[in-house]
Amino acid sequence: MEPIIQQLILSDTDHPIRACSNVDLDSERTPKKIGMSYLAGFLDGDGSIGAQIVERSDYVLKYQLRVSVSFTQKTRRKHFLLQIQKELGGKGSVRERPDGVSEFAIVGQNDVGWFLRQIAPMLHLKKKQAYLVLKIIEQLPLTKNSPEKFLDLCTLADHVSELNDSKNRKCTTQVVRERFQDLKVMKE
Amino acid sequence: MEPIIQQLILSDTDHPIRACSNVDLDSERTPKKIGMSYLAGFLDGDGSIGAQIVERSDYVLKYQLRVSVSFTQKTRRKHFLLQIQKELGGKGSVRERPDGVSEFAIVGQNDVGWFLRQIAPMLHLKKKQAYLVLKIIEQLPLTKNSPEKFLDLCTLADHVSELNDSKNRKCTTQVVRERFQDLKVMKE
């Protein structure tokens, strides 16, 4: 047994209530560093890696691909989301939703790319989503003058959503393709 | 940046589709080891550490304290629960529930104690529950001839449930105390 674990168990065994309180107080005073392996497990268990197709009337192609990573917790545990944010150098934002749940979200290709490149190799359940989103991010510049390429990436976004068990998505590749056909933006 | 991460990023950037497929295939063939830090994050995000008061007519005190650790996932990802079980030396059991969700549960003081002693120091959100359950496990032998001590541990079980945001629990310390009074098992 590692000495630190043994020590924790022994102190807990000797004075369980006091030890328990000490742990809590200590962790509130100086929160233990979270670390990337832990965060990978937390993301697999509780987080979400997404790529949404969002309508944007001011865009040439009328749609945007929005990539994101998010974590939610009851607002009473919002402090932990803030701690994660801090350990990630302050990236992303934490907001309180009206339903008593708080959300820490990293949005946008730069920050999401930065985060996923570090964590993707450590994921188990959401590894596919991570690499699909990284692929979308990497290829986004190629969509600027190519509706066809944009549709390619939309199919990857559809795939991410399927892996996430998402339902009731309005904006799918099919919707975008039909809009592109109406707008006649694609080569015949 | 650590070399391994850098290498993964480079290979992913160079050949994203191929890299993405390779990762998936590889992870299916030879699952990457999970590790305790990851598992701590996964438990904080998705798992549950519990101590239930269960009615047992065949017990002298009519109630039992049942400690458990569990993880749930949609049954299509049951393979991952089986992988966790394997890495924990086959402890616990995995079952498919009728609602399309599978559950990996470790039950009983020996196995739960063994697991929590390793993982408790690495937890963030469920550290309190872990140490409370370890305290219950440690003191269970003292309850054999002491309804008073049993009630003490029931209050710890209540505390665990509060921390878990549990609602609608039937068996609380109060219920047990009233039953003990009816049965006149406690010293006056």
Side-chain angles (χ1 to χ4, degrees), chain A residues 17 32 38 44 121 135 138, chain B residues 16-17 32 38 44 121 135:
Chain A
I17 296 177
K32 207 178 143 194
Y38 173 97
D44 268 349
K135 189 184 167 196
E138 180 214 337
Chain B
I17 297 177
K32 206 179 143 195
Y38 173 97
D44 267 349
K135 188 186 169 193

Side-chain angles (χ1 to χ4, degrees), chain B residues 30-181:
Chain B
T30 49
K32 206 179 143 195
K33 207 172 173 313
I34 290 170
M36 275 293 168
S37 302
Y38 173 97
L39 201 55
F42 193 62
L43 177 54
D44 267 349
D46 182 67
S48 170
I49 300 171
Q52 265 186 298
I53 308 170
V54 183
E55 209 165 354
R56 290 292 297 264
S57 57
D58 53 331
Y59 275 43
V60 176
L61 294 179
K62 303 298 172 195
Y63 292 94
Q64 175 195 9
L65 275 163
R66 185 185 290 160
V67 294
S68 63
V69 175
S70 66
F71 301 86
T72 51
Q73 277 294 316
K74 288 213 166 183
T75 292
R76 65 190 243 194
R77 289 186 285 271
K78 185 180 141 188
H79 63 90
F80 187 61
L81 299 177
L82 291 166
Q83 191 190 336
I84 296 176
Q85 185 190 31
K86 197 175 166 191
E87 292 201 15
L88 295 178
K91 292 195 195 292
S93 60
V94 176
R95 72 182 178 106
E96 280 186 33
R97 298 192 325 212
D99 59 356
V101 169
S102 286
E103 184 180 39
F104 167 46
I106 306 172
V107 182
Q109 48 180 314
N110 289 341
D111 288 353
V112 171
W114 170 85
F115 177 65
L116 288 183
R117 276 181 210 106
Q118 294 177 74
I119 207 133
M122 298 173 212
L123 296 173
H124 291 269
L125 294 176
K126 292 176 177 140
K127 198 188 272 282
K128 285 184 189 177
Q129 287 95 312
Y131 281 109
L132 284 166
V133 168
L134 279 172
K135 188 186 169 193
I136 290 171
I137 290 171
E138 177 216 336
Q139 304 206 350
L140 264 180
L142 308 176
T143 65
K144 219 169 182 177
N145 299 307
S146 169
E148 291 81 5
K149 187 71 206 169
F150 189 82
L151 284 174
D152 280 354
L153 299 196
C154 285
T155 62
L156 299 187
D158 283 358
H159 193 180
V160 173
S161 298
E162 282 157 24
L163 291 167
N164 285 340
D165 312 316
S166 298
K167 288 164 192 161
N168 307 322
R169 292 171 62 233
K170 275 191 212 164
C171 270
T172 60
T173 306
Q174 188 53 29
V175 171
V176 178
R177 183 178 287 115
E178 285 167 16
R179 183 78 178 275
F180 281 4
Q181 284 164 348

Side-chain angles (χ1 to χ4, degrees), chain B residues 14-31:
Chain B
D14 289 348
H15 302 285
I17 297 177
R18 210 187 59 192
C20 188
S21 315
N22 281 355
V23 164
D24 300 338
L25 287 172
D26 286 351
S27 68
E28 275 162 32
R29 278 181 204 145
T30 49

Side-chain angles (χ1 to χ4, degrees), chain A:
Chain A
M1 195 183 288
E2 292 167 49
I4 180 70
I5 297 179
Q6 197 173 22
Q7 193 186 341
L8 274 154
I9 295 167
L10 287 174
S11 68
D12 193 47
T13 308
D14 291 347
H15 303 283
I17 296 177
R18 208 190 59 195
C20 190
S21 314
N22 281 355
V23 165
D24 302 336
L25 287 172
D26 287 351
S27 67
E28 274 162 32
R29 280 182 205 141
T30 48
K32 207 178 143 194
K33 209 174 173 309
I34 288 168
M36 274 294 167
S37 301
Y38 173 97
L39 201 55
F42 193 62
L43 178 55
D44 268 349
D46 183 68
S48 169
I49 300 171
Q52 265 186 298
I53 307 170
V54 183
E55 209 164 353
R56 289 291 298 264
S57 57
D58 53 330
Y59 276 43
V60 176
L61 293 180
K62 304 297 173 196
Y63 291 95
Q64 175 196 9
L65 275 163
R66 185 185 290 161
V67 293
S68 64
V69 175
S70 65
F71 301 86
T72 52
Q73 277 294 317
K74 288 212 168 183
T75 293
R76 68 191 241 193
R77 289 185 286 270
K78 184 180 140 188
H79 64 90
F80 187 61
L81 299 178
L82 291 167
Q83 191 190 336
I84 297 176
Q85 185 190 32
K86 197 176 164 190
E87 291 201 16
L88 295 178
K91 292 195 195 291
S93 61
V94 176
R95 73 183 177 106
E96 279 187 33
R97 297 191 325 211
D99 59 356
V101 169
S102 287
E103 183 181 39
F104 168 46
I106 306 173
V107 182
Q109 48 181 315
N110 289 341
D111 288 353
V112 171
W114 171 85
F115 177 65
L116 288 183
R117 276 181 210 107
Q118 294 177 74
I119 207 134
M122 297 173 212
L123 296 172
H124 290 269
L125 294 175
K126 292 177 177 141
K127 197 188 273 282
K128 285 184 190 178
Q129 287 94 313
Y131 281 108
L132 284 166
V133 168
L134 279 172
K135 189 184 167 196
I136 290 172
I137 290 170
E138 180 214 337
Q139 302 205 351
L140 265 179
L142 308 176
T143 66
K144 218 169 183 177
N145 298 308
S146 169
E148 292 80 6
K149 188 71 207 170
F150 189 82
L151 284 174
D152 280 354
L153 299 196
C154 285
T155 62
L156 298 187
D158 282 359
H159 192 182
V160 173
S161 298
E162 282 158 24
L163 291 166
N164 284 340
D165 313 316
S166 298
K167 287 164 192 162
N168 307 321
R169 293 171 61 233
K170 274 192 211 163
C171 269
T172 61
T173 306
Q174 186 54 29
V175 170
V176 178
R177 182 177 287 115
E178 284 168 15
R179 183 79 179 273
F180 281 5
Q181 284 163 348
D182 289 346
L183 293 169
K184 298 186 196 306
V185 292
M186 287 196 292
K187 289 165 196 154
E188 295 302 314

